[in-house]
Amino acid sequence: MTLLRLMRLLLIFVIGGVFMSCNSADNSKQNDKPIAGNQAFMIAKADLPKFKTEALEGSPDAAFKLYQFYEFVQLDAKESLYWITISAENGHPIGQHNLAYMLMDDPDLNSRLRARYWAKQSVRNGNKDALELLKEIDNKKKP
């Protein structure tokens, strides 16, 4: 993974986290407190069932928030992949981009084809950054 790709992915995660934390209903209680590190991705244990229900009922933002929680707070790769997939299926453009990014280097051809699909979906949903990712996927050597 090149340093540029790693930096781009990190920037996307951070921007997505800031977007989600700005839209959080309980953020008004924290306006005077700085958010550091993975705290921006924290979900209270009592709120997890609500987020999961919303995500499974079609909320792209709830699914993306769960992805960030499991990726950056819980460090649970299996749950992270599950919720980023739900996020992408629910139409979250950054979720689609991040899922494409995660799949593009997989040795399995089907995963790489899905990476291309999700990058295209992200572009269709207004994420211009996904154009670069789509080019990168297309420029990879075929097996």
Side-chain angles (χ1 to χ4, degrees):
M1 178 180 310
T2 67
L3 181 59
L4 180 61
R5 284 182 49 209
L6 184 61
M7 289 174 55
R8 186 172 70 212
L9 183 60
L10 181 61
L11 180 63
I12 290 167
F13 287 143
V14 170
I15 290 171
V18 169
F19 173 76
M20 290 301 298
S21 68
C22 289
N23 289 329
S24 175
D26 57 10
N27 191 41
S28 61
K29 299 174 190 171
Q30 300 175 341
N31 283 340
D32 58 346
K33 297 178 185 175
I35 296 175
N38 63 1
Q39 287 181 328
F41 309 116
M42 189 65 189
I43 299 175
K45 187 176 181 178
D47 292 336
L48 278 173
K50 178 187 78 147
F51 275 96
K52 289 179 179 182
T53 298
E54 288 177 8
L56 294 173
E57 288 179 345
S59 170
D61 292 334
F64 192 76
K65 178 79 174 169
L66 285 163
Y67 150 69
Q68 291 175 313
F69 172 71
Y70 285 107
E71 180 73 15
F72 300 114
V73 177
Q74 295 296 309
L75 306 176
D76 185 331
K78 183 178 176 184
E79 284 292 310
S80 172
L81 180 60
Y82 177 78
W83 291 110
I84 194 67
T85 302
I86 298 295
S87 169
E89 290 170 352
N90 290 354
H92 196 285
I94 297 172
Q96 293 166 335
H97 178 279
N98 291 359
L99 181 58
Y101 186 84
M102 292 166 82
L103 296 172
M104 70 185 254
D105 289 324
D106 194 299
D108 178 46
L109 175 62
N110 291 334
S111 292
R112 292 194 313 271
L113 291 172
R114 293 307 290 167
R116 188 171 196 290
Y117 169 80
W118 286 119
K120 286 171 48 178
Q121 289 300 108
S122 184
V123 170
R124 286 187 186 125
N125 284 317
N127 184 8
K128 302 298 181 204
D129 291 334
L131 284 170
E132 283 300 314
L133 181 61
L134 188 56
K135 288 178 191 174
E136 195 171 334
I137 292 168
D138 287 342
N139 288 333
K140 286 201 168 282
K141 292 182 179 179
K142 306 290 188 249

